[in-house]
Amino acid sequence: GNGAVRNQYQKEFAAYEEQRKKLTSLKELQAIASREADFNRYLFDELQTAALRTNELEELEAELKLLSHAEQIKSVLGKVSFILQESEQPVVQAIRTAVQQLGSIASFHDEIPAVAQRMQSAFIELQDIQSDIESLNDKVQMDGGRIDEIQQRISYGQRLLKKHNVSTTSALLDIQQELEKKLELIEKGDDLIAGVEKKMQIAFEKAMSFARQISDQRKKQILPLEKKTAELLKRVGMPNALLKAELKEMSLHETGIDDVGFLFDANKTNRFEPLEKVASGGELSRLMLSLKSLVADSLQMPTLIFDEIDSGISGEAARQVGILMKELGISHQVISITHQPQIAARADAHYYVFKKEMGSQIKTQIRRLTQDERVEAIAKMLGGEPPSAVALENAREMVSG
């Protein structure tokens, strides 16, 4: 029904808005890219010529550090290798001898085999260390030409880092990629924009189709709404009041293509004025009660608040307001501030608002009334203070009725 049409419209309108915003963004980016095209091309060509690899500058820094200390590294590794394997008392050979010595007495003490095993493990580990040190020593080379080459490459890279105000190779590559996108936007921007415009137009036409259905449904509901509202306004003490709904077509927006306005005439003068300008607070509250009672099943608001809804009414009109609010309260939480017993008696709960001195401050507090307190409060509204027995009995019937 109507709900399905509204939901579909919201979906199509959201799709249209997405494409519209995308189009606006693309055009803005294209304009910026066009203004900066020459400079961006220069920056991109410079980075592309540099042909940086991922993490290249960081890896070169590490390699330069190694080559710059190659002599010291080889010297230390050679000394350690000599101590382990070739000195007058090689550490590896000493450990091997110690293992053999422990093995000769292993059968004489229960704990010696375990110690010997640990010593054997240490011997094997030292052999591995010796092998690794020799391998490392062979790999480290002193290459002055390579150092010069790396320094030149790093120097070039550092100029680029400083120029673009970044600190890593990865950041430079990101900038290069972003510049490429901007340049592509200039070359392919018209095609991209045309594609988005086409999608936007399709979404617009779909949304417009549902928007016109919604508009047609609104037009069909105007007379029934005005008639039913007039009937409800009579019930709540406004027999001469009339509401008039107006639809003016406008551009597509979130709720369709209609600008919905409400005009009000409180006394059948046939001079309808904008509702918000001519309706008093009490009239507006009762009008909203009437409208909300008509569309209660469609309302998304869980709580409705009415203030001074009883302004200028009493008797049967007040009773009818109470009945409407009771009906509305079946599916919604309704909160009302009222001075009419006919309205108050329809509530499921009553609250007493009062001010209390607490230290040096006056604070407003609220508490829920008991059943007897509710009856007494309604009786006071009926007959003043102190309430008579008749007023109390009448109030008890109204509260329980």
Side-chain angles (χ1 to χ4, degrees):
N2 296 345
V5 173
R6 285 197 303 271
N7 291 339
Q8 190 62 35
Y9 171 73
Q10 291 296 325
K11 178 181 177 181
E12 300 299 343
F13 179 75
Y16 163 70
E17 278 291 283
E18 180 183 358
Q19 295 301 323
R20 186 184 65 79
K21 290 176 181 177
K22 187 175 181 180
L23 178 64
T24 301
S25 178
L26 271 175
K27 287 183 175 179
E28 290 175 352
L29 289 174
Q30 187 186 44
I32 294 171
S34 296
R35 290 196 299 269
E36 301 173 352
D38 292 341
F39 183 58
N40 286 340
R41 170 60 66 183
Y42 164 73
L43 293 177
F44 174 74
D45 288 344
E46 186 178 45
L47 288 169
Q48 190 177 47
T49 300
L52 292 167
R53 304 186 315 274
T54 303
N55 296 323
E56 179 182 352
L57 296 178
E58 290 77 13
E59 291 172 358
L60 288 175
E61 290 280 3
E63 186 180 353
L64 179 62
K65 186 177 181 180
L66 173 63
L67 290 173
S68 298
H69 297 83
E71 185 175 356
Q72 181 182 356
I73 292 170
K74 288 182 74 66
S75 174
V76 171
L77 290 176
K79 290 177 181 178
V80 173
S81 179
F82 180 79
I83 291 170
L84 290 174
Q85 192 70 32
E86 300 176 15
S87 64
E88 292 182 4
Q89 293 181 327
V91 173
V92 173
Q93 185 58 42
I95 297 296
R96 173 183 285 177
T97 301
V99 170
Q100 291 171 348
Q101 292 294 325
L102 287 172
S104 67
I105 61 172
S107 61
F108 305 145
H109 195 289
D110 291 343
E111 295 182 11
I112 289 178
V115 174
Q117 181 61 45
R118 290 168 61 192
M119 187 71 77
Q120 176 67 22
S121 297
F123 169 69
I124 294 171
E125 180 66 14
L126 281 174
Q127 279 189 314
D128 287 343
I129 291 172
Q130 161 65 21
S131 177
D132 289 344
I133 287 175
E134 289 183 355
S135 178
L136 281 171
N137 200 12
D138 291 339
K139 289 179 181 177
V140 176
Q141 301 295 328
M142 292 179 286
D143 187 342
R146 177 59 179 165
I147 289 176
D148 291 340
E149 180 184 332
I150 291 175
Q151 286 177 332
Q152 290 178 11
R153 183 66 170 166
I154 289 176
S155 178
Y156 181 52
Q158 286 177 337
R159 287 199 300 271
L160 291 174
L161 291 172
K162 185 176 180 180
K163 185 173 191 175
H164 294 278
N165 194 30
V166 293
S167 59
T168 64
T169 312
S170 177
L172 283 176
L173 292 174
D174 288 342
I175 291 171
Q176 181 179 341
Q177 188 176 30
E178 186 63 29
L179 288 168
E180 186 174 17
K181 288 180 180 178
K182 289 180 179 179
L183 294 172
E184 284 182 355
L185 188 60
I186 297 172
E187 298 171 1
K188 304 177 182 178
D190 290 342
D191 292 337
L192 291 172
I193 288 173
V196 174
E197 284 178 336
K198 184 177 180 179
K199 290 179 181 178
M200 186 183 75
Q201 183 61 31
I202 292 172
F204 174 78
E205 290 172 359
K206 288 182 178 179
M208 277 296 294
S209 174
F210 288 104
R212 295 199 182 283
Q213 291 181 50
I214 292 173
S215 182
D216 291 340
Q217 291 170 357
R218 285 175 177 151
K219 290 171 184 176
K220 292 176 183 178
Q221 293 300 320
I222 288 179
L223 290 178
L225 175 67
E226 292 175 349
K227 182 179 178 181
K228 291 176 182 177
T229 303
E231 293 172 355
L232 288 174
L233 288 174
K234 289 179 183 178
R235 287 179 56 184
V236 298
M238 299 170 66
N240 298 317
L242 295 173
L243 181 72
K244 185 177 181 181
E246 278 192 338
L247 297 183
K248 294 181 181 178
E249 186 169 334
M250 58 185 300
S251 58
L252 194 70
H253 58 280
E254 189 174 358
T255 59
I257 53 173
D258 298 315
D259 177 22
V260 182
F262 290 99
L263 305 177
F264 187 64
D265 180 2
N267 298 297
K268 286 188 177 179
T269 63
N270 205 31
R271 293 195 302 271
F272 288 89
E273 299 289 342
L275 176 63
E276 64 275 12
K277 291 183 179 180
V278 296
S280 66
E283 290 172 339
L284 192 58
S285 291
R286 279 176 278 167
L287 178 57
M288 292 307 297
L289 172 62
S290 300
L291 289 172
K292 288 174 181 177
S293 66
L294 290 175
V295 296
D297 292 338
S298 301
L299 287 177
Q300 300 298 316
M301 294 178 290
T303 301
L304 305 172
I305 300 176
F306 297 98
D307 185 16
E308 301 295 340
I309 200 170
D310 54 13
S311 177
I313 62 170
S314 60
E316 178 60 20
R319 190 178 78 86
Q320 291 295 331
V321 169
I323 293 172
L324 282 176
M325 294 180 71
K326 183 74 173 180
E327 293 171 354
L328 197 55
I330 294 173
S331 55
H332 299 78
Q333 182 185 52
V334 177
I335 299 174
S336 176
I337 300 170
T338 181
H339 301 287
Q340 291 289 349
Q342 296 94 327
I343 296 176
R346 297 284 176 176
D348 296 318
H350 294 91
Y351 293 85
Y352 176 53
V353 181
F354 60 99
K355 291 184 179 181
K356 184 177 182 180
E357 186 174 352
M358 300 180 70
S360 60
Q361 295 182 321
I362 303 295
K363 293 191 175 182
T364 300
Q365 296 189 319
I366 185 172
R367 69 177 179 84
R368 183 168 178 169
L369 299 182
T370 65
Q371 182 67 11
D372 290 341
E373 288 174 331
R374 293 174 65 197
V375 171
E376 184 177 356
I378 297 296
K380 289 178 181 178
M381 295 172 76
L382 286 168
E385 297 188 52
S388 65
V390 173
L392 285 168
E393 182 61 27
N394 192 7
R396 190 170 290 106
E397 291 181 3
M398 292 176 68
V399 171
S400 59

